[in-house]
Amino acid sequence: MKTVQISLNSIDKVKSFVNAITQFEFDFDLISGRYVIDAKSIMGIFSLDLSKPIDLAIHAESNLDEIMEALKPYLV
């Protein structure tokens, strides 16, 4: 598992982020304080405070380079 910080400060960023990670079959969780949300859930993401960076937990052992490349526009 790898954890990175991302910023999703607009509706368009949230939509493109979800589209980018749904191409992978691995699990992704967004962690904000005590809340853990499935990162592939648009409704879940909008329940978080998007004004500050959020931790993204990537539950993958392989393809990490490919995943990080897809996440580049969202990394803090």
Side-chain angles (χ1 to χ4, degrees):
M1 183 175 91
K2 180 176 176 76
T3 303
V4 295
Q5 277 207 328
I6 61 168
S7 176
L8 299 173
N9 52 10
S10 72
I11 294 171
D12 290 333
K13 266 187 139 177
V14 170
K15 289 191 324 190
S16 64
F17 168 76
V18 171
N19 287 335
I21 66 168
T22 52
Q23 68 182 336
F24 301 103
E25 57 186 63
F26 305 108
D27 288 331
F28 296 84
D29 292 325
L30 288 173
I31 304 161
S32 179
R34 63 181 183 165
Y35 299 106
V36 178
I37 303 294
D38 180 2
K40 294 181 181 180
S41 166
I42 290 179
M43 293 295 288
I45 294 172
F46 283 123
S47 71
L48 300 175
D49 178 8
L50 300 178
S51 64
K52 57 187 177 190
I54 303 167
D55 290 332
L56 173 67
I58 305 164
H59 302 280
E61 299 300 321
S62 60
N63 296 36
L64 274 175
D65 291 338
E66 189 180 342
I67 292 169
M68 293 307 291
E69 188 64 34
L71 293 175
K72 231 179 224 181
Y74 315 101
L75 295 176
V76 175

